[in-house]
Amino acid sequence: MRSLWPPTEAAQADYEALRAAVLAGTPLADPTALRFARGGLVALLTRPASEPVFVALVQGAPRPAWSPHADPRLGALAAGYALLLDAAGQHAQLGAVER
């Protein structure tokens, strides 16, 4: 399997396992290989055998020690929301001009 981009879906994990076996010159003799031999890539996509791989990253933002009463995270959240609202407004204006 490719280490740079690990598979994130069950069908992709099945495909990568088959691909690695073919590149190594050792054909697999498991249900995934049989399903691929009979139905091709469509069979892997419609009925994947591997468990899906879920990757999640959680990052926290602790309150700085120098501001015990003010929370700068709320200001950053409000600024991000304002940026999204401005972008949506500009998109709506461009759509009205093109009509």
Side-chain angles (χ1 to χ4, degrees):
M1 289 193 203
R2 293 180 279 180
S3 61
L4 189 57
W5 289 289
T8 56
E9 294 183 5
Q12 184 182 1
D14 289 342
Y15 174 79
E16 291 294 335
L18 291 172
R19 179 180 171 273
V22 168
L23 290 177
T26 57
L28 289 176
D30 63 351
T32 303
L34 285 172
R35 195 169 59 255
F36 181 72
R38 291 181 184 160
L41 188 58
V42 174
L44 289 182
L45 294 174
T46 56
R47 292 187 321 129
S50 297
E51 292 294 324
V53 178
F54 298 105
V55 178
L57 299 174
V58 177
Q59 295 181 345
R63 180 178 291 166
W66 48 265
S67 62
H69 300 291
D71 191 354
R73 298 174 294 179
L74 294 177
L77 181 64
Y81 189 67
L83 178 69
L84 291 175
L85 289 176
D86 289 343
Q90 290 175 2
H91 181 70
Q93 288 176 356
L94 287 175
V97 170
E98 291 176 358
R99 292 181 197 165

